[in-house]
Amino acid sequence: VIDTLGALIGGFFGEASRSARDVAARMPQPSGTSVIGTRITTSPDVAAFVNGTTARYVEMNDVYHWPGSSGGHPSDVLMPVFGVAEHVRARGRDFITALVLAYEIYLRMSDAVRTPGFDCANFCCMGAALGAGKLLGLSADALAEGLSMAVVPNNALNQARTGHLSMWKAVAAGQAGRAGVFAALLAQAGMKGPHAPFEGKAGWCNHVARKSFALAPFGGRGTPFKIGDTLIKPRASCATTISSILAAEKAGAAIPDVGQVEKVTVEVYERAKTGMGTGEHHWNPDSRETADHSIPYVVAASIIDKRLTPSSFGDARLWSPELRALLPKIEVVT
């Protein structure tokens, strides 16, 4: 929780975060949920959108890299659940219970299915719906209706994380959290969701997961909770790039004149090269979102700055002649 709040502070002045707050300011709700860092209160779902986007923006929130899983950023569920806890004036224990449940949903889903072409934010939508529903005191039947209304209408495409990236990379998390909270609120109001959202002929198993699946037992009664398997990042960048960053920082400390560098070879594992070190956009990033998902960029910035920080992705560094001259000299290999 503390780590995610720290990430939110780091992302507060991001362009996407400001835009989200501008929208929320037009939808005030005096007895609603706080837009953290402001005096704005709005509906719980809109607050989930703003706070979720802001916590995700600086690429510092936790990450999940369990072998064989879809991975993702499970703390995307935290701000949506936190906002509903405020809305219902929940006790701290009840908030933590709902949060651990939301993590369980996200991470058990991530372990059970790989969804090429679809964003892991879809797991956030499910986790937020059930975590929010738990805080709203929904019955088992109502929780099922809320989950259905989260699953069927909200299947984000992985295009948000492909090629040249835009601010939607962060906003996808806020949108998923918003949709999950909204589904829980609908269920609380008595709305019914589509029948058989997972196993129906046109359901999630056939068209997103592309298979039937079962979730592993949830935590408790001797089974560890999955929230303990997430990783806290040491740098504000995509987790796949962090080993390259730490190596480049060490190398950069021994390089007094970056202009004298003739070649940099970065050895990574295959998935890292495919995702973060292949394609022209990784050598020619045009946004902070593309930059923090580019091994060539983070290596160049780490060598120049000696320690990668959020300011390493600001426009001054992104477009600096020194960095642009170093980028073509970087080779990524496996």
Side-chain angles (χ1 to χ4, degrees):
V1 174
I2 293 170
D3 180 72
T4 306
L5 287 168
L8 182 147
I9 293 168
F12 188 80
F13 293 107
E15 185 179 0
S17 308
R18 290 196 300 267
S19 296
R21 288 196 298 275
D22 288 345
V23 172
R26 299 178 205 141
M27 304 179 189
Q29 189 175 107
S31 60
T33 301
S34 299
V35 173
I36 298 175
T38 77
R39 296 186 180 185
I40 300 169
T41 55
T42 185
S43 63
D45 59 316
V46 174
F49 176 75
V50 182
N51 295 332
T53 295
T54 306
R56 186 72 177 80
Y57 181 78
V58 80
E59 194 65 40
M60 196 72 195
N61 59 326
D62 72 6
V63 68
Y64 184 63
H65 266 207
W66 198 257
S69 76
S70 291
H73 298 271
S75 59
D76 287 347
V77 303
L78 197 153
M79 285 302 154
V81 172
F82 184 84
V84 175
E86 178 191 1
H87 177 64
V88 302
R89 304 297 187 263
R91 298 181 305 157
R93 180 181 293 273
D94 293 334
F95 161 60
I96 293 295
T97 299
L99 179 62
V100 171
L101 170 62
Y103 261 81
E104 286 289 290
I105 298 296
Y106 189 117
L107 297 171
R108 300 292 176 184
M109 288 295 300
S110 181
D111 285 350
V113 294
R114 297 291 294 272
T115 55
F118 290 92
D119 195 331
C120 288
N122 293 326
F123 303 149
C124 168
C125 185
M126 299 178 199
L130 291 174
K134 177 76 170 175
L135 286 166
L136 293 170
L138 300 186
S139 67
D141 287 343
L143 285 170
E145 299 292 352
L147 182 60
S148 175
M149 289 183 281
V151 167
V152 174
N154 302 292
N155 290 294
L157 300 178
N158 204 46
Q159 187 60 30
R161 308 187 194 286
T162 303
H164 284 276
L165 306 185
S166 74
M167 64 178 72
W168 193 262
K169 174 173 71 72
V171 178
Q175 166 63 15
R178 184 207 64 78
V181 171
F182 187 64
L185 292 171
L186 289 175
Q188 184 188 40
M191 186 76 72
K192 304 297 184 184
H195 178 66
F198 287 96
E199 297 180 349
K201 183 178 180 180
W204 206 85
C205 290
N206 282 336
H207 292 277
V208 179
R210 305 292 179 90
K211 66 174 186 177
S212 295
F213 62 93
L215 301 186
F218 282 20
R221 298 180 181 178
T223 300
F225 291 101
K226 289 296 290 184
I227 195 170
D229 294 328
T230 61
L231 305 174
I232 302 297
K233 289 184 182 179
R235 296 292 185 272
S237 185
C238 177
T240 307
T241 70
I242 287 177
S243 59
S244 300
I245 292 168
L246 299 178
E249 288 176 349
K250 290 182 179 180
I255 301 173
D257 182 2
V258 175
Q260 297 300 309
V261 173
E262 295 181 1
K263 183 179 180 180
V264 180
T265 301
V266 188
E267 185 176 359
V268 297
Y269 55 97
E270 182 63 34
R271 186 176 173 185
K273 184 178 189 302
T274 300
M276 310 293 161
T278 302
E280 64 83 21
H281 55 286
H282 289 130
W283 278 263
N284 186 33
D286 56 4
S287 67
R288 84 162 320 280
E289 289 82 6
T290 302
D292 66 29
H293 274 55
S294 161
I295 289 173
Y297 182 92
V298 299
V299 166
S302 297
I303 289 172
I304 294 169
D305 294 339
K306 312 309 180 188
R307 181 181 174 89
L308 195 83
T309 69
S311 64
S312 300
F313 300 103
D315 284 348
R317 174 57 68 222
L318 179 64
W319 300 108
S320 69
E322 185 180 28
L323 182 135
R324 294 288 162 168
L326 183 56
L327 277 172
K329 301 176 182 179
I330 297 175
E331 179 184 21
V332 181
V333 301
T334 56

